Amino acid sequence: MNTNYDRLGSHRDVSFVKEFQHMRDVLCELTRADQVEVLMGSGTLANDAVAGQLSLLCKPGLILISGEFGRRLIKHANGAKLFFETLEIPEGQAFERLELERALKANPAIEWIWGVHCESSTGVLNDLEMYKYVCAKYDIKLCVDIIGSIGRVSIDLSGIDLASCTSGKGLGAPPGLSMVFHQYDLQPAPDFLPCVLDLGIYQASGGIPYTIQSSLIHTLLIALKRHNWEQRFEEVRNWSTSIRRKLAEIDAPILAPDSCAMPAVVTIALPEIHSSETIGDALREHGVHINYRSHYLLERNWIQTCMTDTEKKPSEKLVRLLKKELAQ
Ligand SMILES: *Cc1c(COP(=O)(O)O)cnc(C)c1O
């Protein structure tokens, strides 16, 4: 085994720093963001970092909930001792402009909104442009979790204050890096935030305040350059149209309506006569892998199929096997 880890390159190497800055530029270009800070960790860490920034505002906010991942934002917010209200809608739906405006009018003290772009649990994609419109109209900050949507749909982060994502999932790189895009300059807040969450320290240190694994930066850059992203987003849309049509043909009850469907994720809410676990196990025995083991899927009797990183067409075998299971 090669244990000469030095050969991976130090995070202080001039060439590494150059590659790191280039990777940040590519990320910002992909999302039309101003700046991005990169942390070692998963998407959850990026959301904690967003909560940390929100805590510095010392103003009340509004958290949007329409599924598991929206609900997790509450935990982040409580951990950072934020003042906030919640707006919850039924799972499987997207937020509407009038709902948001009503909530903001009812509580004029609200200074920020934090929500999930793609609610990965339900397969719903929220309307980011509408969020931006509303937040600009009421002059409040907008923070979004784009962990489930980056690399799968075109995203324009201009006008969005903070957005969190990860190297895994849609970007198709190994997990291990989490990112927060930001539109305004961040100031270090050593009296208020733990060092590792203090995005202002990252910005003040040229993005690399602490040790970072250079190979993760390298593989993320490779993943970012592997696709022509506009073409990739079209493949994702085509995959979605195709799988949704096939599932409709076999009467599989798709949770999210076409109008707010997340292109790369389809959640099926099974009727009570079927068990998501039994069906998930049965498909797995035939070599077809669907999501069903997460606690929130098991609790709701839901199964989920996601477009994989390399896939272009949905699996015919999945549809065939599912049809058989649903007929039983
Ligand atoms: C996966 C996911 C998370 C959690 O990300 P981790 O990398 O597992 O920490 C948060 N939000 C959304 C929308 C997700 O899809």
Side-chain angles (χ1 to χ4, degrees):
M1 200 173 101
N2 177 10
T3 51
N4 184 5
Y5 295 120
D6 285 349
R7 284 180 45 197
L8 291 171
S10 153
H11 65 285
R12 299 286 168 218
D13 269 0
V14 177
S15 64
F16 170 71
V17 173
K18 219 171 131 190
E19 184 171 53
F20 178 83
Q21 300 306 351
H22 179 49
M23 186 273 303
R24 293 212 289 182
D25 290 343
V26 176
L27 270 176
C28 288
E29 216 172 285
L30 174 66
T31 54
R32 279 163 261 177
D34 265 8
Q35 305 178 61
V36 63
E37 305 310 329
V38 182
L39 297 76
M40 293 266 303
S42 79
T44 302
L45 178 69
N47 280 339
D48 270 338
V50 168
Q53 290 303 308
L54 289 173
S55 74
L56 300 176
L57 300 175
C58 295
K59 300 278 192 211
L62 181 68
I63 293 182
L64 307 179
I65 303 158
S66 58
E68 164 72 16
F69 292 100
R71 209 161 284 121
R72 281 193 200 177
L73 297 182
I74 296 179
K75 293 188 188 161
H76 293 285
N78 284 332
K81 303 192 166 52
L82 304 186
F83 310 106
F84 64 95
E85 307 219 345
T86 57
L87 181 61
E88 184 159 4
I89 58 169
E91 300 191 340
Q93 293 181 13
F95 282 92
E96 305 266 353
R97 180 170 63 85
L98 292 177
E99 283 166 337
L100 296 190
E101 294 208 32
R102 209 177 301 129
L104 294 175
K105 278 187 196 136
N107 191 344
I110 288 171
E111 295 267 341
W112 50 266
I113 283 186
W114 193 11
V116 173
H117 184 208
C118 164
E119 178 45 75
S120 310
S121 64
T122 58
V124 165
L125 187 69
N126 284 291
D127 181 353
L128 219 46
E129 293 306 311
M130 181 275 282
Y131 282 11
K132 286 196 226 175
Y133 168 86
V134 170
C135 289
K137 182 171 169 185
Y138 289 81
D139 192 23
I140 60 179
K141 284 196 159 39
L142 172 58
C143 306
V144 282
D145 168 338
I146 57 165
I147 297 171
S149 52
I150 191 167
R152 291 169 171 162
V153 294
S154 176
I155 295 179
D156 180 352
L157 293 178
S158 54
I160 294 183
D161 293 283
L162 299 165
S164 52
C165 77
T166 147
S167 54
K169 297 206 177 163
L171 292 178
L177 296 176
S178 68
M179 291 80 103
V180 180
F181 295 95
H182 54 106
Q183 173 164 263
Y184 58 98
D185 281 333
L186 306 170
Q187 305 303 328
D191 294 338
F192 300 101
L193 294 175
C195 297
V196 78
L197 293 181
D198 188 347
L199 296 177
I201 295 182
Y202 289 72
Q203 179 173 358
S205 316
I208 316 177
Y210 319 118
T211 303
I212 192 159
Q213 193 181 335
S214 55
S215 61
L216 287 175
I217 300 296
H218 188 67
T219 46
L220 175 58
L221 189 54
I222 291 172
L224 285 167
K225 295 199 158 181
R226 188 179 38 165
H227 295 299
N228 167 335
W229 287 100
E230 286 312 317
Q231 197 178 318
R232 178 64 184 160
F233 299 148
E234 193 182 331
E235 284 170 9
V236 175
R237 282 195 298 276
N238 292 340
W239 179 91
S240 175
T241 311
S242 170
I243 186 87
R244 291 175 70 87
R245 197 181 51 231
K246 287 178 202 293
L247 290 172
E249 276 165 16
I250 64 165
D251 290 326
I254 299 175
L255 183 63
D258 285 347
S259 58
C260 62
M262 169 63 200
V265 183
V266 184
T267 300
I268 299 166
L270 292 171
E272 258 176 51
I273 49 165
H274 297 290
S275 145
S276 60
E277 196 170 11
T278 310
I279 289 188
D281 286 343
L283 266 59
R284 200 186 45 180
E285 269 171 34
H286 287 92
V288 170
H289 294 274
I290 56 170
N291 296 348
Y292 67 105
R293 300 217 63 94
S294 306
H295 70 90
Y296 55 88
L297 295 174
L298 287 171
E299 276 164 22
R300 292 167 178 75
N301 204 32
W302 291 354
I303 56 174
Q304 209 176 47
T305 174
C306 297
M307 186 179 185
T308 63
D309 191 36
T310 48
E311 196 174 28
K312 292 206 170 140
K313 291 215 164 85
S315 158
E316 300 278 349
K317 192 173 170 189
L318 180 150
V319 179
R320 207 169 56 239
L321 289 171
L322 189 58
K323 181 180 180 181
K324 210 172 114 199
E325 291 296 324
L326 291 176
Q328 278 174 4

